[in-house]
Amino acid sequence: MLTGISSMATRQVLAALAARCAHETGIHVEVESCGGVEAARRVAAGEAFDVVWLASDALEKLAASGRIIADSRVELLRSETWVAVRKGAARPDIGSEAAVREAVLRAKTLGHSTGPSGAHINALLERWGIAGHVAPRIVQAPPGMPVATLIARGEIELGFQQRSEIEGIEGVDAAGPLPAAIAKTTTFAGAVCACSRQPAHARALLAFMALSANDAVKRGHGMEPA
């Protein structure tokens, strides 16, 4: 049995891919999912895992510190940042950068994650010159908790997160992706941890997950194949 750790954004698709891999190859993996920052911290601290799945930039840092086997890295998934509101609420106009900025200014509460999509939204707020103005209205989703959960509870009026964390969630209306001018697509990859005791099996697992035969599974969970 392999062990792995991932960010929350990929937990559902990885569970589906892991089940297929176990059935077709006999390689089993138990994946723990948590906030991406926390997952990276734990791998960087030397916690024993065979495989780690994170946004590509986070894996680059782990490679630089020697915590993953650099040549084992496999890009697997791409995910857009989407916008969402509570089910039944009026959908905001998100057809242009100006429209999204206006929707942000109108919203009573805003929410984003601690991951790549959240960092992108913070950068946009700074670029638009409204970061300080909207700061009191921002509800930061705790690490490991999807923004969609807070939207469904009514704690966030306008939320931003990876499509896989928003689309198809009960009580949430996924309005769609950010417009092209401010779009953010995150690439998620997997790599073998330097401390793995089963590196050959870990590499085989990642190779299986990268097969084009699994593309439909990835799309079914709001992701695109990398």
PDB file of all heavy atoms in Angstrom, residues 1-3 26-29 49-51 69 192-205:
ATOM      1  N   MET A   1       0.834  -1.198   0.000  1.00  0.00           N
ATOM      2  CA  MET A   1       0.000   0.000   0.000  1.00  0.00           C
ATOM      3  C   MET A   1       0.873   1.255   0.000  1.00  0.00           C
ATOM      4  O   MET A   1       1.688   1.451   0.901  1.00  0.00           O
ATOM      5  CB  MET A   1      -0.917  -0.003   1.217  1.00  0.00           C
ATOM      6  CG  MET A   1      -1.696   1.287   1.429  1.00  0.00           C
ATOM      7  SD  MET A   1      -3.026   1.557   0.233  1.00  0.00           S
ATOM      8  CE  MET A   1      -4.269   0.429   0.900  1.00  0.00           C
ATOM      9  N   LEU A   2       0.706   2.080  -1.024  1.00  0.00           N
ATOM     10  CA  LEU A   2       1.381   3.362  -1.062  1.00  0.00           C
ATOM     11  C   LEU A   2       0.602   4.371  -0.222  1.00  0.00           C
ATOM     12  O   LEU A   2      -0.593   4.233  -0.014  1.00  0.00           O
ATOM     13  CB  LEU A   2       1.464   3.872  -2.495  1.00  0.00           C
ATOM     14  CG  LEU A   2       2.260   3.040  -3.505  1.00  0.00           C
ATOM     15  CD1 LEU A   2       2.060   3.599  -4.910  1.00  0.00           C
ATOM     16  CD2 LEU A   2       3.737   3.031  -3.143  1.00  0.00           C
ATOM     17  N   THR A   3       1.284   5.411   0.227  1.00  0.00           N
ATOM     18  CA  THR A   3       0.615   6.510   0.908  1.00  0.00           C
ATOM     19  C   THR A   3       0.920   7.796   0.158  1.00  0.00           C
ATOM     20  O   THR A   3       2.013   7.975  -0.390  1.00  0.00           O
ATOM     21  CB  THR A   3       1.088   6.649   2.368  1.00  0.00           C
ATOM     22  OG1 THR A   3       2.501   6.908   2.385  1.00  0.00           O
ATOM     23  CG2 THR A   3       0.789   5.392   3.164  1.00  0.00           C
ATOM     24  N   GLY A  26      -3.380  -3.405  -9.598  1.00  0.00           N
ATOM     25  CA  GLY A  26      -3.093  -3.989  -8.290  1.00  0.00           C
ATOM     26  C   GLY A  26      -2.286  -3.080  -7.382  1.00  0.00           C
ATOM     27  O   GLY A  26      -1.961  -3.456  -6.255  1.00  0.00           O
ATOM     28  N   ILE A  27      -1.974  -1.870  -7.854  1.00  0.00           N
ATOM     29  CA  ILE A  27      -1.241  -0.901  -7.028  1.00  0.00           C
ATOM     30  C   ILE A  27      -2.251  -0.069  -6.247  1.00  0.00           C
ATOM     31  O   ILE A  27      -3.096   0.609  -6.836  1.00  0.00           O
ATOM     32  CB  ILE A  27      -0.355   0.013  -7.890  1.00  0.00           C
ATOM     33  CG1 ILE A  27       0.709  -0.810  -8.618  1.00  0.00           C
ATOM     34  CG2 ILE A  27       0.307   1.085  -7.025  1.00  0.00           C
ATOM     35  CD1 ILE A  27       1.541  -0.018  -9.602  1.00  0.00           C
ATOM     36  N   HIS A  28      -2.181  -0.132  -4.943  1.00  0.00           N
ATOM     37  CA  HIS A  28      -3.118   0.570  -4.077  1.00  0.00           C
ATOM     38  C   HIS A  28      -2.421   1.779  -3.436  1.00  0.00           C
ATOM     39  O   HIS A  28      -1.246   1.711  -3.072  1.00  0.00           O
ATOM     40  CB  HIS A  28      -3.641  -0.349  -2.975  1.00  0.00           C
ATOM     41  CG  HIS A  28      -4.471  -1.484  -3.485  1.00  0.00           C
ATOM     42  ND1 HIS A  28      -5.849  -1.491  -3.420  1.00  0.00           N
ATOM     43  CD2 HIS A  28      -4.120  -2.654  -4.078  1.00  0.00           C
ATOM     44  CE1 HIS A  28      -6.307  -2.609  -3.952  1.00  0.00           C
ATOM     45  NE2 HIS A  28      -5.279  -3.343  -4.359  1.00  0.00           N
ATOM     46  N   VAL A  29      -3.179   2.857  -3.291  1.00  0.00           N
ATOM     47  CA  VAL A  29      -2.648   4.038  -2.615  1.00  0.00           C
ATOM     48  C   VAL A  29      -3.728   4.631  -1.720  1.00  0.00           C
ATOM     49  O   VAL A  29      -4.895   4.681  -2.082  1.00  0.00           O
ATOM     50  CB  VAL A  29      -2.148   5.100  -3.627  1.00  0.00           C
ATOM     51  CG1 VAL A  29      -3.274   5.578  -4.540  1.00  0.00           C
ATOM     52  CG2 VAL A  29      -1.519   6.277  -2.902  1.00  0.00           C
ATOM     53  N   PHE A  49       5.729   9.989   3.066  1.00  0.00           N
ATOM     54  CA  PHE A  49       4.729   9.685   2.037  1.00  0.00           C
ATOM     55  C   PHE A  49       5.467   9.127   0.827  1.00  0.00           C
ATOM     56  O   PHE A  49       6.636   9.423   0.609  1.00  0.00           O
ATOM     57  CB  PHE A  49       3.955  10.937   1.620  1.00  0.00           C
ATOM     58  CG  PHE A  49       3.064  11.511   2.685  1.00  0.00           C
ATOM     59  CD1 PHE A  49       3.456  12.642   3.387  1.00  0.00           C
ATOM     60  CD2 PHE A  49       1.842  10.929   2.985  1.00  0.00           C
ATOM     61  CE1 PHE A  49       2.634  13.181   4.374  1.00  0.00           C
ATOM     62  CE2 PHE A  49       1.012  11.458   3.962  1.00  0.00           C
ATOM     63  CZ  PHE A  49       1.411  12.588   4.668  1.00  0.00           C
ATOM     64  N   ASP A  50       4.740   8.334   0.044  1.00  0.00           N
ATOM     65  CA  ASP A  50       5.323   7.831  -1.199  1.00  0.00           C
ATOM     66  C   ASP A  50       5.117   8.804  -2.355  1.00  0.00           C
ATOM     67  O   ASP A  50       5.980   8.934  -3.223  1.00  0.00           O
ATOM     68  CB  ASP A  50       4.698   6.476  -1.561  1.00  0.00           C
ATOM     69  CG  ASP A  50       5.071   5.384  -0.579  1.00  0.00           C
ATOM     70  OD1 ASP A  50       6.262   5.036  -0.501  1.00  0.00           O
ATOM     71  OD2 ASP A  50       4.164   4.892   0.132  1.00  0.00           O
ATOM     72  N   VAL A  51       3.955   9.474  -2.361  1.00  0.00           N
ATOM     73  CA  VAL A  51       3.595  10.344  -3.479  1.00  0.00           C
ATOM     74  C   VAL A  51       2.976  11.628  -2.936  1.00  0.00           C
ATOM     75  O   VAL A  51       2.292  11.615  -1.911  1.00  0.00           O
ATOM     76  CB  VAL A  51       2.579   9.661  -4.424  1.00  0.00           C
ATOM     77  CG1 VAL A  51       2.399  10.483  -5.703  1.00  0.00           C
ATOM     78  CG2 VAL A  51       3.003   8.248  -4.770  1.00  0.00           C
ATOM     79  N   ILE A  69      11.619  13.403  -5.781  1.00  0.00           N
ATOM     80  CA  ILE A  69      12.532  12.977  -6.831  1.00  0.00           C
ATOM     81  C   ILE A  69      12.173  13.786  -8.072  1.00  0.00           C
ATOM     82  O   ILE A  69      11.102  13.602  -8.666  1.00  0.00           O
ATOM     83  CB  ILE A  69      12.407  11.469  -7.087  1.00  0.00           C
ATOM     84  CG1 ILE A  69      12.735  10.692  -5.811  1.00  0.00           C
ATOM     85  CG2 ILE A  69      13.327  11.043  -8.230  1.00  0.00           C
ATOM     86  CD1 ILE A  69      12.485   9.198  -5.903  1.00  0.00           C
ATOM     87  N   VAL A 192       7.092  11.551  -6.877  1.00  0.00           N
ATOM     88  CA  VAL A 192       7.497  10.561  -5.877  1.00  0.00           C
ATOM     89  C   VAL A 192       8.308  11.261  -4.794  1.00  0.00           C
ATOM     90  O   VAL A 192       9.243  12.021  -5.093  1.00  0.00           O
ATOM     91  CB  VAL A 192       8.333   9.441  -6.522  1.00  0.00           C
ATOM     92  CG1 VAL A 192       8.751   8.410  -5.464  1.00  0.00           C
ATOM     93  CG2 VAL A 192       7.547   8.765  -7.644  1.00  0.00           C
ATOM     94  N   CYS A 193       7.941  11.028  -3.562  1.00  0.00           N
ATOM     95  CA  CYS A 193       8.669  11.633  -2.450  1.00  0.00           C
ATOM     96  C   CYS A 193      10.044  10.984  -2.299  1.00  0.00           C
ATOM     97  O   CYS A 193      10.208   9.775  -2.526  1.00  0.00           O
ATOM     98  CB  CYS A 193       7.880  11.483  -1.148  1.00  0.00           C
ATOM     99  SG  CYS A 193       6.323  12.389  -1.159  1.00  0.00           S
ATOM    100  N   ALA A 194      11.017  11.778  -1.914  1.00  0.00           N
ATOM    101  CA  ALA A 194      12.385  11.273  -1.781  1.00  0.00           C
ATOM    102  C   ALA A 194      12.489  10.176  -0.728  1.00  0.00           C
ATOM    103  O   ALA A 194      13.383   9.325  -0.802  1.00  0.00           O
ATOM    104  CB  ALA A 194      13.321  12.431  -1.427  1.00  0.00           C
ATOM    105  N   CYS A 195      11.566  10.186   0.236  1.00  0.00           N
ATOM    106  CA  CYS A 195      11.622   9.196   1.313  1.00  0.00           C
ATOM    107  C   CYS A 195      10.810   7.934   1.010  1.00  0.00           C
ATOM    108  O   CYS A 195      10.706   7.036   1.864  1.00  0.00           O
ATOM    109  CB  CYS A 195      11.130   9.816   2.620  1.00  0.00           C
ATOM    110  SG  CYS A 195       9.431  10.418   2.551  1.00  0.00           S
ATOM    111  N   SER A 196      10.235   7.841  -0.181  1.00  0.00           N
ATOM    112  CA  SER A 196       9.417   6.680  -0.523  1.00  0.00           C
ATOM    113  C   SER A 196      10.220   5.388  -0.449  1.00  0.00           C
ATOM    114  O   SER A 196      11.349   5.317  -0.918  1.00  0.00           O
ATOM    115  CB  SER A 196       8.841   6.827  -1.934  1.00  0.00           C
ATOM    116  OG  SER A 196       8.170   5.633  -2.318  1.00  0.00           O
ATOM    117  N   ARG A 197       9.606   4.371   0.142  1.00  0.00           N
ATOM    118  CA  ARG A 197      10.221   3.039   0.190  1.00  0.00           C
ATOM    119  C   ARG A 197       9.782   2.173  -0.984  1.00  0.00           C
ATOM    120  O   ARG A 197      10.250   1.045  -1.135  1.00  0.00           O
ATOM    121  CB  ARG A 197       9.868   2.358   1.516  1.00  0.00           C
ATOM    122  CG  ARG A 197      10.449   3.074   2.736  1.00  0.00           C
ATOM    123  CD  ARG A 197      10.155   2.321   4.002  1.00  0.00           C
ATOM    124  NE  ARG A 197      10.737   2.990   5.176  1.00  0.00           N
ATOM    125  CZ  ARG A 197      10.659   2.531   6.420  1.00  0.00           C
ATOM    126  NH1 ARG A 197      10.013   1.390   6.664  1.00  0.00           N
ATOM    127  NH2 ARG A 197      11.217   3.198   7.420  1.00  0.00           N
ATOM    128  N   GLN A 198       8.865   2.701  -1.796  1.00  0.00           N
ATOM    129  CA  GLN A 198       8.375   1.954  -2.958  1.00  0.00           C
ATOM    130  C   GLN A 198       8.373   2.875  -4.195  1.00  0.00           C
ATOM    131  O   GLN A 198       7.337   3.067  -4.824  1.00  0.00           O
ATOM    132  CB  GLN A 198       6.960   1.431  -2.701  1.00  0.00           C
ATOM    133  CG  GLN A 198       6.811   0.558  -1.469  1.00  0.00           C
ATOM    134  CD  GLN A 198       5.382   0.109  -1.263  1.00  0.00           C
ATOM    135  OE1 GLN A 198       4.879  -0.754  -2.009  1.00  0.00           O
ATOM    136  NE2 GLN A 198       4.709   0.678  -0.273  1.00  0.00           N
ATOM    137  N   PRO A 199       9.513   3.431  -4.528  1.00  0.00           N
ATOM    138  CA  PRO A 199       9.541   4.410  -5.622  1.00  0.00           C
ATOM    139  C   PRO A 199       9.110   3.852  -6.977  1.00  0.00           C
ATOM    140  O   PRO A 199       8.503   4.577  -7.777  1.00  0.00           O
ATOM    141  CB  PRO A 199      10.999   4.873  -5.644  1.00  0.00           C
ATOM    142  CG  PRO A 199      11.770   3.775  -4.976  1.00  0.00           C
ATOM    143  CD  PRO A 199      10.846   3.231  -3.933  1.00  0.00           C
ATOM    144  N   ALA A 200       9.398   2.591  -7.250  1.00  0.00           N
ATOM    145  CA  ALA A 200       9.000   2.013  -8.540  1.00  0.00           C
ATOM    146  C   ALA A 200       7.481   1.928  -8.645  1.00  0.00           C
ATOM    147  O   ALA A 200       6.898   2.271  -9.691  1.00  0.00           O
ATOM    148  CB  ALA A 200       9.617   0.624  -8.706  1.00  0.00           C
ATOM    149  N   HIS A 201       6.826   1.489  -7.579  1.00  0.00           N
ATOM    150  CA  HIS A 201       5.364   1.425  -7.584  1.00  0.00           C
ATOM    151  C   HIS A 201       4.764   2.830  -7.633  1.00  0.00           C
ATOM    152  O   HIS A 201       3.728   3.048  -8.282  1.00  0.00           O
ATOM    153  CB  HIS A 201       4.864   0.677  -6.345  1.00  0.00           C
ATOM    154  CG  HIS A 201       4.962  -0.800  -6.464  1.00  0.00           C
ATOM    155  ND1 HIS A 201       4.757  -1.659  -5.400  1.00  0.00           N
ATOM    156  CD2 HIS A 201       5.251  -1.590  -7.528  1.00  0.00           C
ATOM    157  CE1 HIS A 201       4.917  -2.908  -5.800  1.00  0.00           C
ATOM    158  NE2 HIS A 201       5.219  -2.882  -7.091  1.00  0.00           N
ATOM    159  N   ALA A 202       5.396   3.768  -6.955  1.00  0.00           N
ATOM    160  CA  ALA A 202       4.903   5.140  -6.964  1.00  0.00           C
ATOM    161  C   ALA A 202       4.986   5.724  -8.376  1.00  0.00           C
ATOM    162  O   ALA A 202       4.061   6.410  -8.841  1.00  0.00           O
ATOM    163  CB  ALA A 202       5.700   5.991  -5.986  1.00  0.00           C
ATOM    164  N   ARG A 203       6.072   5.472  -9.071  1.00  0.00           N
ATOM    165  CA  ARG A 203       6.206   5.940 -10.457  1.00  0.00           C
ATOM    166  C   ARG A 203       5.151   5.284 -11.356  1.00  0.00           C
ATOM    167  O   ARG A 203       4.575   5.941 -12.237  1.00  0.00           O
ATOM    168  CB  ARG A 203       7.604   5.633 -10.992  1.00  0.00           C
ATOM    169  CG  ARG A 203       8.697   6.549 -10.455  1.00  0.00           C
ATOM    170  CD  ARG A 203      10.051   6.129 -11.015  1.00  0.00           C
ATOM    171  NE  ARG A 203      11.156   6.909 -10.506  1.00  0.00           N
ATOM    172  CZ  ARG A 203      11.643   8.021 -11.081  1.00  0.00           C
ATOM    173  NH1 ARG A 203      11.097   8.463 -12.203  1.00  0.00           N
ATOM    174  NH2 ARG A 203      12.673   8.664 -10.553  1.00  0.00           N
ATOM    175  N   ALA A 204       4.910   3.992 -11.132  1.00  0.00           N
ATOM    176  CA  ALA A 204       3.910   3.283 -11.935  1.00  0.00           C
ATOM    177  C   ALA A 204       2.513   3.857 -11.700  1.00  0.00           C
ATOM    178  O   ALA A 204       1.704   3.963 -12.632  1.00  0.00           O
ATOM    179  CB  ALA A 204       3.937   1.795 -11.601  1.00  0.00           C
ATOM    180  N   LEU A 205       2.222   4.229 -10.464  1.00  0.00           N
ATOM    181  CA  LEU A 205       0.942   4.849 -10.138  1.00  0.00           C
ATOM    182  C   LEU A 205       0.763   6.155 -10.916  1.00  0.00           C
ATOM    183  O   LEU A 205      -0.289   6.400 -11.531  1.00  0.00           O
ATOM    184  CB  LEU A 205       0.866   5.123  -8.638  1.00  0.00           C
ATOM    185  CG  LEU A 205      -0.298   6.001  -8.150  1.00  0.00           C
ATOM    186  CD1 LEU A 205      -1.617   5.240  -8.249  1.00  0.00           C
ATOM    187  CD2 LEU A 205      -0.049   6.465  -6.719  1.00  0.00           C
TER     188      LEU A 205
END
